[in-house]
Structure formats: structure tokens, C-alpha cells
Amino acid sequence: MHEFASWLAGTAFSQTIASSLWMIPAIQSVHILTFAVLIGALLVVDLRILGFASKDQSLVTVTRRYAPWVWGCIAVLAATGLLLIVGEPARELLSFSFWVKMSLLVIGIIIAAAFQIHVRNNQASWSETETVQPVTKIFAVFSFFIWVGIIAMGRLIAWDADIWGSLSPQP
């Protein structure tokens, strides 16, 4: 990974991003604000699952309303995340926190996709007076904490070597 990070840092695109005074902060700002929107959308759906919000609407309705926000945010996060990797390859790719974040991201996306597929394929069973199964509630809470973990790991990248020591081979 060291060789790849070095090669990437040597590309003109990476050097353009890294040498600009405003590009990394601007990209990070969009990345962070997009995470805020994503967490808001996920929280509304999770609170509906748990019975604390939007009780007057079916789970299908709430999921349909917020699914485009979730997937749109994930797309923007992927784009800004890739730009951050290109702009600071060693900081990102050699960070233990980064790889934990990516692992949690895979889990979070799988849970979100599986939930939306389940709701779409079982719309008839999610009536206006649906009873959400306890396992669905557990997954809602688990999923939310996965996304909070992704944010935490993203923040820890800045202090990776100090926190993780030898687990982080950052220069």
C-alpha cells in the first residue's frame, strides 16, 4: 500500500489537490455536511422503525421518502472520499482508522440495501398498522451505530498514529 500511496501522491491530479489551499478543506466540508444529511435521513427511518417518529405514516412511505437521500448521500460521500484519498493518499490509505471506516462502510451499505430490498419485497405486510419485529428494531439500532462508527473512524484518521500506534503505519 505504501508504493501505491507514493505513486498516487506523485500524480498531477493528487498534487493539484494537495497543493491547493482550499481544495482539501472544501472537499472535507462537503464530505462532513453530506454525512450530516445521511445521518439525519437514517435517523428518521430508524426512529420510525423504533416507533418514536412518523407513526402516522407507514414504514414503506417513510423508507420511500428517505431512500433517495440515503443513496444520494452515499454517492456524494464516495465521490468526495475518493477525492480526499487522491489528495492525501498516505494519510488515508496508510491509516488504520481509514480501513476500519471502510469495513464499517461495507457493513452499513449492506444493511441499508438489505433493509430497503426487504421493505420493497414485503410492502403488503407493512400495512398502516404494521408491527415492526424486534429483530428489525435491533438492526435499526445496530445500523445507526455502524454509521456513527464510520463518522468516528473518519475523525480519528487525523490522529491515527497517536491513537493506534503500531497498527497505523502512517509516516
Side-chain angles (χ1 to χ4, degrees), residues 2-169:
H2 287 278
E3 294 81 19
F4 178 72
S6 294
W7 171 82
L8 187 57
T11 65
F13 190 44
S14 178
Q15 291 176 0
T16 299
I17 294 171
S19 65
S20 170
L21 292 176
W22 62 269
M23 284 184 108
I24 293 291
I27 296 166
Q28 285 176 333
S29 295
V30 172
H31 198 71
I32 290 165
L33 291 171
T34 303
F35 252 118
V37 173
L38 174 66
I39 289 298
L42 292 170
L43 185 60
V44 170
V45 174
D46 287 349
L47 289 174
R48 173 59 189 92
I49 291 169
L50 296 171
F52 296 125
S54 302
K55 292 188 234 182
D56 60 327
Q57 299 173 27
S58 73
L59 185 55
V60 172
T61 302
V62 172
T63 301
R64 276 191 192 143
R65 179 175 299 129
Y66 289 98
W69 288 96
V70 169
W71 295 111
C73 286
I74 289 172
V76 171
L77 289 168
T80 56
L82 285 172
L83 289 172
L84 290 171
I85 291 168
V86 170
E88 300 178 308
R91 179 178 188 249
E92 306 294 336
L93 297 174
L94 303 180
S95 165
F96 179 75
S97 298
F98 172 80
W99 291 106
V100 173
K101 177 182 175 178
M102 293 300 104
S103 300
L104 291 172
L105 182 62
V106 168
I107 294 167
I109 289 172
I110 288 170
I111 290 171
F115 174 73
Q116 289 183 5
I117 290 167
H118 175 72
V119 169
R120 187 182 64 231
N121 291 341
N122 297 290
Q123 287 183 34
S125 65
W126 297 101
S127 67
E128 292 295 326
T129 59
E130 75 238 16
T131 302
V132 177
Q133 298 296 320
V135 70
T136 305
K137 292 180 179 184
I138 290 168
F139 269 103
V141 172
F142 177 69
S143 170
F144 188 76
F145 282 112
I146 290 289
W147 290 100
V148 170
I150 291 167
I151 292 170
M153 288 296 110
R155 291 300 309 133
L156 292 179
I157 290 171
W159 303 283
D160 204 71
D162 295 333
I163 294 168
W164 303 111
S166 65
L167 289 175
S168 182

